Amino acid sequence: MKKLAVIFPGVGYHVDKPLLYYSKKIAAHYGYEIVEVAYGKLPKKVKGSKEKMEKTFRIALGQAEDILKNVDFLEYDDILFISKSVGTVVASAYAGMHQLKTRNVYYTPVEASFQFMTQPGIAFTGTADTWVSHKAIRELCEKGGFPLYVTEDGNHSLETGAVQKDLENLLAIMRTTEGYIALL
């Protein structure tokens, strides 16, 4: 069985930050070929600006299109998209535009993601994430059928600021992620 994992980072959350770094390692352990989407220059101070968020999405989606243009998705039996923040919007929109059947790990999805999230997956959010309405994320995940894993006091990086607690939380998040990745 041929498997592919595509990593879609966030605006300031690149593929070598903990959530994506360890998810990538887990996917590789389970035999997934890894492709990383890296965005070039994106707008600054996006938080709170719908206009800048939409511009960021369009730029990031264009860059994903360019990076993934030579990937023959038909070669793969299992396609896993691992995404973070604005990457959840990009990954979901990309899958829909290309009519791909994907499984997904959605780290801290933003509300705009849910208009494109039609593929199965699991989602993670934090109760102290100031980028989203925690209530809205809960409702959207429930409506979309996405199991939601909540980090108490977790910010948009699912961190609390207490190092030992963050390490415990990261371990729990990676165990859940691994359980999902290993399903196939």
Side-chain angles (χ1 to χ4, degrees), residues 5-106:
V6 182
I7 316 299
F8 294 85
V11 170
Y13 203 96
H14 54 76
V15 298
D16 288 329
K17 288 210 174 191
L19 296 170
L20 299 178
Y21 176 82
Y22 287 109
S23 296
K24 186 171 49 169
K25 285 188 153 300
I26 291 168
H29 172 77
Y30 283 94
Y32 285 82
E33 179 183 328
I34 307 295
V35 174
E36 298 174 2
V37 173
Y39 313 126
K41 190 172 180 157
L42 294 174
K44 302 242 187 270
K45 298 182 181 180
V46 173
K47 184 178 174 184
S49 171
K50 185 176 179 181
E51 184 180 287
K52 284 185 179 181
M53 184 66 106
E54 286 177 16
K55 184 176 182 181
T56 298
F57 163 68
R58 285 192 305 275
I59 292 168
L61 182 59
Q63 292 170 354
E65 287 282 354
D66 190 49
I67 290 165
L68 300 173
K69 69 183 173 201
N70 294 322
V71 176
D72 184 359
F73 288 98
L74 296 175
E75 286 183 19
Y76 297 94
D77 302 301
D78 182 32
I79 302 168
L80 175 68
F81 281 2
I82 301 171
S83 55
K84 169 75 175 81
S85 187
V86 74
T88 63
V89 188
V90 175
S92 299
Y94 184 90
M97 289 169 51
H98 294 275
Q99 301 171 344
L100 299 176
K101 182 181 177 204
T102 63
R103 295 187 314 127
N104 295 271
V105 176
Y106 300 111

Side-chain angles (χ1 to χ4, degrees), residues 120-137:
I122 58 174
F124 296 83
T125 195
T127 60
D129 186 343
T130 59
W131 281 74
V132 296
S133 159
H134 184 65
K135 181 180 178 208
I137 295 300

Side-chain angles (χ1 to χ4, degrees), residues 18 28 31 75 134 143 152 157:
E75 286 183 19
H134 184 65
K143 183 179 175 185
E152 288 300 320
S157 296

